[in-house]
Amino acid sequence: MLHFLPLPRKAELNTPFPVGVFLSTVSFSTALYLSLLALPRVGILVAMFSGVPLVLAQIQFPAQLLGTGAMITSGGLIFLLGSLLHNPMPGLQVLIYIGWCGLPALLTAELLRRQVRILPMLFSTSFQILFFLGGIGLFLYMKTHGQIWTGFAQTIHGALDVVMNAAIKNSQTTLTPSDQARVLGLEPLIYRAFIALLPGVLSSLALLTAVTVWATTVGILESRNLSSGVLGIDRWVLPDPVIFALIASMALLLIPSFEIRVLGTNLVMVLGVLYVGQGAGVLLSYVRKRRLGAWFWLVSGVFILIQPMFLMILGIVGIIDIWADFRQLRGKSPGGDGSNEKGRFVEKKLDDLSDGDGSHRYSFRTLRLRIPLRGSRLMGPFRRGGRLQGAIRAA
């Protein structure tokens, strides 16, 4: 298991190098990413967590740049083990690890240290993933003079041929030759739709990775009583206007145009990831209230790995949370008193007021004053002749 120490108050260059934490960080990050090579279908969800050990190491040992060193060492191990596993392009796997897991982890650690707001942090991390991996793809395309895209297209066409022939073979009804030709004729349209949806798939994958790294890191820090200064996913809510963007994206699917429907589908996938995160926050809040054990997370993780469609259920829960407010978080001020009015609250403890002879006339434990903004309707009691001044004079 990883061994975590309290967050250092300042950088101390003379502290000994944490060898044990470094080795555990490298081993955990490498093992999580290698699941992508062993089991691609399940491993893509597991590999998202490979940046979490790097974030924790970088936050707790910033002076030694422990997360950066662990990322470089893990990249070397991935290249070595990928070569032993006869991976055709172990160098490309290293670049994917650095762009998808390593650099986003270091960026997340820095943004957590600066206590950046959650949405800008998630979008910054996602953009970094897309920018780095997109740059790698463009470099390979130019280096191979387009041959890499030709090979990718041939692979997709081969997969579609297998799927279409399997659908025809396993059809419950006997298809005539004309029906089979009509079904096979849909292959170009399916290929075009698949290519057009790639931006949304990659963007949603990058955003889901950013949400996973942030939520897991903050959760681990909170479980070890290490304050990160950033809200956890169980207390995070999306701004309400985001739902209108999701509704508008879904409305684009009703327009009879292939390009507009593709655009709407891409937007729905990206915005849906945000509501998956909100639904996961609702689930985590419920689990903490019920004090369910680790077995619940084990069963939930297995179900999600076996059938990723459970993420859609979390997205639906996140959307319903806008109106149901399962966690009772909406409408609360930062102080958590349940008020959403614009104002500042001042708490002041008063001593017992007496007449001077020891007899107490009034006794106040705590006086909680609402100081509203200028121009608000609540300013009435503070105006000349208001009830508050009269009450003060009577006291």
Side-chain angles (χ1 to χ4, degrees):
M1 295 298 291
L2 292 174
H3 301 285
F4 299 105
L5 301 178
L7 295 177
R9 295 184 178 180
K10 60 180 180 179
E12 297 180 359
L13 298 178
N14 295 326
T15 55
F17 186 79
V19 179
V21 179
F22 176 78
L23 294 178
S24 60
T25 301
V26 171
S27 59
F28 267 81
S29 182
T30 304
L32 290 173
Y33 182 79
L34 287 178
S35 63
L36 179 64
L37 303 181
L39 300 170
R41 182 172 178 267
V42 176
I44 192 170
L45 297 177
V46 178
M48 292 181 184
F49 294 88
S50 60
V52 176
L54 303 179
V55 179
L56 296 172
Q58 188 76 5
I59 289 179
Q60 297 190 54
F61 298 94
Q64 291 84 0
L65 296 178
L66 196 66
T68 306
M71 179 189 70
I72 297 174
T73 307
S74 298
L77 283 178
I78 290 172
F79 180 83
L80 177 61
L81 295 176
S83 301
L84 295 177
L85 293 174
H86 303 288
N87 188 274
M89 293 182 290
L92 181 60
Q93 293 297 332
V94 175
L95 293 177
I96 294 176
Y97 167 77
I98 293 176
W100 182 32
C101 305
L103 292 180
L106 301 182
L107 179 60
T108 301
E110 181 63 20
L111 295 178
L112 285 176
R113 189 183 67 83
R114 295 173 180 265
Q115 298 184 5
V116 177
R117 296 175 61 184
I118 295 175
L119 275 182
M121 177 174 59
L122 296 180
F123 287 135
S124 299
T125 307
S126 304
F127 177 78
Q128 188 274 324
I129 295 174
L130 294 175
F131 181 80
F132 190 90
L133 296 183
I136 293 175
L138 180 61
F139 174 77
L140 293 177
Y141 179 84
M142 297 177 63
K143 194 72 174 178
T144 60
H145 303 286
Q147 293 299 320
I148 188 172
W149 178 258
T150 303
F152 177 76
Q154 291 177 353
T155 303
I156 298 300
H157 278 297
L160 288 177
D161 286 336
V162 173
V163 172
M164 301 298 288
N165 291 325
I168 294 175
K169 182 179 180 180
N170 298 326
S171 177
Q172 297 180 356
T173 59
T174 303
L175 299 178
T176 62
S178 60
D179 293 334
Q180 295 181 12
R182 193 178 301 111
V183 171
L184 293 176
L186 295 175
E187 182 178 337
L189 180 61
I190 296 175
Y191 172 79
R192 181 186 174 192
F194 178 83
I195 297 300
L197 293 178
L198 276 180
V201 173
L202 296 178
S203 299
S204 58
L205 179 62
L207 187 57
L208 184 60
T209 303
V211 172
T212 301
V213 173
W214 153 66
T216 308
T217 300
V218 175
I220 292 176
L221 292 177
E222 290 180 346
S223 66
R224 299 179 180 275
N225 297 322
L226 302 176
S227 176
S228 63
V230 179
L231 291 178
I233 195 172
D234 59 326
R235 301 182 303 279
W236 174 61
V237 291
L238 280 169
D240 290 341
V242 178
I243 190 61
F244 295 107
L246 180 62
I247 294 174
S249 302
M250 297 178 68
L252 294 178
L253 303 179
L254 303 177
I255 299 178
S257 173
F258 178 81
E259 290 77 10
I260 296 179
R261 287 181 175 179
V262 166
L263 175 63
T265 305
N266 286 327
L267 292 176
V268 167
M269 285 191 290
V270 175
L271 295 174
V273 172
L274 295 177
Y275 285 100
V276 168
Q278 185 163 288
V282 173
L283 178 63
L284 179 59
S285 177
Y286 177 82
V287 170
R288 287 185 172 179
K289 286 182 180 179
R290 296 293 181 178
R291 296 182 179 179
L292 301 178
W295 61 269
F296 177 82
W297 294 115
L298 178 62
V299 174
S300 300
V302 171
F303 271 106
I304 292 176
L305 292 177
I306 295 176
Q307 185 52 261
M309 291 299 293
F310 280 99
L311 295 175
M312 183 179 296
I313 299 177
L314 290 179
I316 296 175
V317 173
I319 294 175
I320 297 175
D321 181 61
I322 299 175
W323 296 275
D325 195 11
F326 297 110
R327 296 167 289 177
Q328 302 297 319
L329 293 177
R330 298 184 179 275
K332 287 189 176 183
S333 66
D337 60 344
S339 173
N340 60 350
E341 298 176 7
K342 294 180 179 180
R344 292 174 296 144
F345 294 90
V346 179
E347 289 190 0
K348 181 181 180 182
K349 291 187 176 181
L350 302 179
D351 295 328
D352 292 339
L353 303 178
S354 64
D355 290 332
D357 56 356
S359 60
H360 297 273
R361 293 177 56 196
Y362 303 99
S363 178
F364 298 97
R365 292 288 183 183
T366 303
L367 179 62
R368 189 174 183 86
L369 298 178
R370 181 190 301 273
I371 304 178
L373 297 177
R374 186 184 300 273
S376 175
R377 292 182 298 175
L378 296 176
M379 285 293 290
F382 290 87
R383 293 173 182 165
R384 184 172 53 188
R387 287 178 294 175
L388 182 61
Q389 292 186 2
I392 294 176
R393 294 194 189 100

